[in-house]
Every structure is written in structure tokens, then in C-alpha cells.
Amino acid sequence: MPGKILCIAEKPSIAKAVAGHLSGGQLSSSNTRNKYVKNYEFTYKFAPPWGQCNAVMSSVLGHTVDWDFTALHRKWNSCAPGQLFDAPTEQIVKVRTSDSPPLSINALTAIAQERKDIADNISAQARYARALFIWTDCDREGEYIGTEVRDIALRANPNLEVKRAKFSNIERAHILRAAQRPVDLDDLQAAAVAARIELDLRIGAAFTRWQTLSLQGIGGLEEKVISYGSCQFPTLGFVVDRYKRVKNFVPEPFWSIKVIHKRDDINVTFNWDRNRLFDRMMTTILFERCLMARTARVTAVVTKPTKKWKPLPLTTVELQKLGSRFLGLTSKVVMDVAEKLYTSGYISYPRTETDQFDRGMDLRALVEKQVPSTDWGQFATHLLNGGFSQPRNGSHNDKAHPPIHPICFVSPTSLTYDEKRVYEFITRRFLACCSEDAQGMSTTVSLSYGDEGFHANGLMVVARNYLDVYPYDKWESSQQLPQFVEGETFVPTEANITDGKTSPPGYLTEPELIALMDVNGIGTDATMAEHISKIKERQYVFTRQKGRDGGGFRGESGEDDGEALGRCFSWFEGSG
């Protein structure tokens, strides 16, 4: 067979899965000097011009090379922190003996010692290969890791042809299609990551050294690293800002008017159109005008169909927010679990900004795979028997990965507790996307009492549809309103002035923090959880149970955020 094709994945689990699909299970494996990395050998018929070839599939463990400052600037007291903005950088091999100097290699090829065995394996396999296929994750970071692999391989074999397989899940058909349609590496995306790495190194190191050295004289901070990061710092800022709003909040009294009328043994509450006023005297005057009018008149009765939209396809940011809110897990745990489900072949790639499914994607086939479930299999069958509806399209498409969705059905007994819950959420979300919107009928009765307007609302849910499989959304029928006729008058059963006070906002919950980071462009969908974890690890913030201080975690409207995460962020007041 002509030549050999070398395939390199980003993780050992992906290498094993891809090799299994391409080989049809007919493969052999051998160990490398790294205990986590294996080489899988098999034959496969690639697209022209390669054809039937021997292939070797191996992997890296994420990044293989590291950037750092040169030896003259690497130690904390080697220079003023400000000099790090212009200090030379390089990629180095760090040997294990403390008295040996670092061995500087070519700026693009030096390998950190802990990854050198992986690099040696790539070099050895590339030396006699005809082509290199990169199987890293299909995102910017994966593109950059692909260039690291390419540079190592080309150093061993400058004549190597390099291609990139683009895939977003490890379903067999998808992997085979990716192998037959390789593309070129995107050097522009890789360059963007390289620029970010250098900026993070220079800015983070300069400010971290400056802060740490400047604050070492403060009691309790002598041994602490006061780190700085361009995403970490604004993430902390959101928490501090909310903390100060809670602590500085001054409650303000308000007054309102409520009208109640009993009809057909139903007490109907009519809410004031003004909602509330912060002037007690004015509220009293308006209330007395109502009483002087004695009778109220129905000005409108409007009954119309309404619906609750089914959810959009799932993105990484939404998975982190909703996983934290509904499952009570930190965003980092949610992403770690999702990554495990992905590498096991149970879900699609969990790092995506796309909230719209491609029209050519066979979603019914994915629904059919969920029929065996004892929990949602009946609903999946209902979708296949006519209940299927094309998912809504959101406004984001990263052109790299589809929304997060299940690839196959997996028995709950095969998963850990957290894996089961995350997988269930992702699957129920996908089935909800493929269902119909919930349907209902809403009735609004408008009332004129004196010179003031009031209204009462009623809702009747007539078709739950997606709500039957997606318990995370709530939409319930309210008490049915009795018959009212436009133009009729009546004397209200009861009318009162009510009072209250504004409540402070709650401390920031993790879903709220992720939403703020997303809106303000802090971090990426793949790194938000890491930034949140970092400020907790550094003890700049801590989490506490909901309901402790902060106005009982009620919003400015006074409504209880009952479904928010059971933990919230608070700032160590002494830390800044």
C-alpha cells in the first residue's frame, strides 16, 4: 500500500473512538512512552489521492508546547513587572533536574518536558508517513493545537502533506464523512489563539507580579499570589458590583390599590394599572376617588390564543447557565461532565455558540434513538408519529459545530449521578426543541374604577406539547375567570390600599454571572467556567446558600427568584 497516513487527535479517548470507526474494529494497538497515549494501527480507504492506506492513529494531551519568558525574565525578581510587556518570549524544554538550564530550541518547536514523549512519538510516526490528518476539536483552540502537531511532524518530515478532519461528534457516520472530506488547517484562527496566549502571558504576568509584590506587606497576604487576568478581573468586578448594590441598598416604601370582586364563588383580584406609587398622599387621593365612584365598569374583555415558545437549541453558554440553575452544579462541573459525555460518544461537541440546526441534519433519526428510554421514550415515539416540529432558529451560528444534542441513547445505569442528570437535561432539551410550542388561551378583563384602570388575567393551557418532556419550564393554568361582559357595571366586593418596601437584589448567582460575562464578551463559551472557578480558587469570592442576607435574594421587583441556583457569590470585603 502506498505510504502511511498519520492521524493525531486532541485526546486519547477521541483517538480510540475514531480509530475504532475507521478500522471497523479491525485494529491493533501499541503503547508509547506516555502511559495515556496509544498508537492504533489499521487500514482504511481514504479519499483520492491517498486511497487504501495503512494508518496510525495517536493523540496529544491538549497543548504540546508552552510559551514563557526567557531565563533573564522568568524569575519574579528578575526585572520590574512593567518590563514584561516587551520582554522576549520563547518555547522551552524544562528538564527535570533543578541545576540544569532550560534547553531553548527553535521558537516554534521547543517542547515542554512533560510533553516531550508525545512529541517524540509524533516525530517517529511522521518520519515515514505520506500525510498527516489532524483530528483536533473543531474550534479555534483545536486549530492552534493542530498547528503545534503540524510543526512537530514537519520537523521530522518536511515533505509531509497536512490535512485537517472537521467533525463535531464521534458518531460513526460523521467520522467517516470527516475522513473523506479533509480540509486545510485555518492558520488565521490559529494565529488568533497565538496572539491571545501571548497577551495573556504578558498582561497576566506583569500585573500578577506587581499586585503580589506590592501587597506582600499586608498581613495574611505574605504567601498569597494575587493573580490578574484580563477575563478574571472583570468577572470579579461583576460580583463586587452586585455585592456593593446589596450592601448599599436603601429600601423605599410604596403604596398600591387592589380591587377584589367575588363572582360565581370566585374572588377575582384586579391589579392597578399604575402598579404602585411612591407617594402615599397621592395614592390615598386616587383611592378616595375610586370609592366616590362606587361602581366599576368593565371596559374590555379580551380572550385570545397564546403560546409559550419551545426552547432554542442548546449552546455552551445556555448549558452552563441552566445546568447551574436547574441541576445545582457549578458551571465547571457541568462542562467537565459534558466533556466526559462527549468523549464517551453520548453527546455532540459541548463547546458551541450555534443555536440553530442545519436543515439537512436528520433530527428524526436522533429522536428515534431515544425511544428505548423509560423516561422520555414515549414522548420520542409521539414525535415520530406526527408530533415532530422543526426546531426554532436562534441568531448564532459559529459554522463549526451544531447545537449540543444527544448522539445515542445511554442507559442511566451506565452513568454516574451527575452524568445522568446532565445527559438527561441535554436530551430533554433536544426533544423539546423538536416538539410543538405549548398552546393556551389568555383572558384579560379591564376595569375602570373612578379615574383609575385595573385588570385581571387568566390563563388556560390547552396543549402542553414540549412541556411534557421539559419540566424545567413552568407554564400552568391560572384560576378560570368568571364571565364578564364589556360595558357591565358592578360594585366591587372589596377595595384596599396595600403597602410595601422595595427589596435589594440578591447576591449574584452563577447563571446571572455567566449571562453578564456573555453579554459583555468576557471569556469564551469554553472558558467562562474556568474564570469563575479561578476567582473562587483564589478566594476572591465565595459561595453561600441562597436566602442568607441580601434581601432574601429577591429582585428589585420583590419577586422571589425561586428557580435560581441555590448558591450565590459574595465578595471577601477585606480583599479589596
Side-chain angles (χ1 to χ4, degrees), residues 238-239 242 508 511-522:
F238 292 134
V239 180
R242 179 66 69 87
L508 207 60
E512 292 173 326
L513 179 54
I514 293 170
L516 284 170
M517 295 171 71
D518 185 37
V519 168
N520 290 278
I522 305 302

Side-chain angles (χ1 to χ4, degrees), residues 372-572:
S373 172
T374 57
D375 295 314
W376 52 78
Q378 187 174 352
F379 189 85
T381 302
H382 160 70
L383 294 183
L384 296 173
N385 291 336
F388 181 89
S389 175
Q390 186 68 24
R392 296 165 55 202
N393 280 339
S395 58
H396 303 93
N397 192 335
D398 61 16
K399 304 295 184 182
H401 302 287
I404 304 168
H405 62 274
I407 296 300
C408 62
F409 172 71
V410 54
S411 171
T413 57
S414 304
L415 304 173
T416 66
Y417 179 67
D418 286 343
E419 288 170 356
K420 175 183 177 296
R421 297 171 70 214
V422 173
Y423 176 80
E424 178 178 351
F425 174 77
I426 291 171
T427 303
R428 288 184 178 275
R429 175 73 171 223
F430 170 70
L431 294 175
C433 290
C434 296
S435 182
E436 299 276 0
D437 300 326
Q439 306 287 334
M441 296 294 294
S442 70
T443 300
T444 300
V445 178
S446 299
L447 198 68
S448 176
Y449 189 30
D451 295 328
E452 298 304 303
F454 299 82
H455 62 274
N457 297 313
L459 171 67
M460 174 69 72
V461 177
V462 297
R464 288 179 54 81
N465 294 331
Y466 88 88
L467 292 171
D468 285 335
V469 77
Y470 195 69
Y472 314 100
D473 274 0
K474 305 297 181 186
W475 202 49
E476 305 290 345
S477 296
S478 64
Q479 188 178 35
Q480 187 71 13
L481 293 178
Q483 182 76 21
F484 285 94
V485 179
E486 185 174 342
E488 72 168 291
T489 59
F490 59 84
V491 177
T493 304
E494 184 180 331
N496 296 301
I497 291 180
T498 62
D499 62 359
K501 290 183 179 181
T502 56
S503 299
Y507 291 117
L508 207 60
T509 63
E510 190 157 354
E512 292 173 326
L513 179 54
I514 293 170
L516 284 170
M517 295 171 71
D518 185 37
V519 168
N520 290 278
I522 305 302
T524 66
D525 53 1
T527 61
M528 289 178 185
E530 296 173 14
H531 300 316
I532 295 173
S533 177
K534 180 61 70 176
I535 63 173
K536 290 194 289 184
E537 176 188 320
R538 295 294 189 193
Q539 297 186 331
Y540 299 154
V541 302
F542 65 96
T543 56
R544 60 171 68 187
Q545 290 298 314
K546 267 187 62 183
R548 292 179 54 198
D549 305 329
F553 298 101
R554 291 178 178 269
E556 290 183 339
S557 65
E559 294 299 319
D560 189 5
D561 185 18
E563 291 184 346
L565 176 66
R567 296 182 301 276
C568 63
F569 290 101
S570 188
W571 181 47
F572 281 109

Side-chain angles (χ1 to χ4, degrees), residues 253-290:
F254 61 80
W255 293 265
S256 185
I257 301 173
K258 181 172 68 174
V259 174
I260 299 175
H261 186 62
K262 187 173 184 178
R263 176 171 292 187
D264 299 336
D265 292 326
I266 299 174
N267 285 322
V268 182
T269 299
F270 291 87
N271 296 308
W272 195 15
D273 288 350
R274 296 180 188 266
N275 187 21
R276 61 190 181 186
L277 293 180
F278 292 91
D279 187 319
R280 181 179 182 181
M281 180 62 70
M282 180 56 68
T283 305
T284 303
I285 292 172
L286 296 176
F287 176 65
E288 289 178 348
R289 288 181 179 178
C290 294

Side-chain angles (χ1 to χ4, degrees), residues 95-165:
V95 295
R96 299 185 184 279
T97 53
S98 59
D99 55 345
S100 300
L103 303 175
S104 178
I105 307 179
N106 184 288
L108 290 175
T109 59
I111 313 300
Q113 178 64 37
E114 62 271 18
R115 296 289 185 255
K116 191 174 184 302
D117 48 1
I118 297 175
D120 289 343
N121 180 54
I122 294 173
S123 297
Q125 295 298 329
R127 194 165 290 120
Y128 304 105
R130 176 184 177 187
L132 169 67
F133 272 45
I134 304 293
W135 287 83
T136 51
D137 292 341
C138 192
D139 55 16
R140 278 189 177 183
E141 208 73 26
E143 218 70 31
Y144 180 76
I145 293 173
T147 62
E148 293 179 351
V149 173
R150 178 191 63 188
D151 294 339
I152 295 167
L154 288 178
R155 188 173 76 251
N157 182 355
N159 298 319
L160 200 62
E161 187 174 6
V162 181
K163 287 293 180 181
R164 198 249 204 277

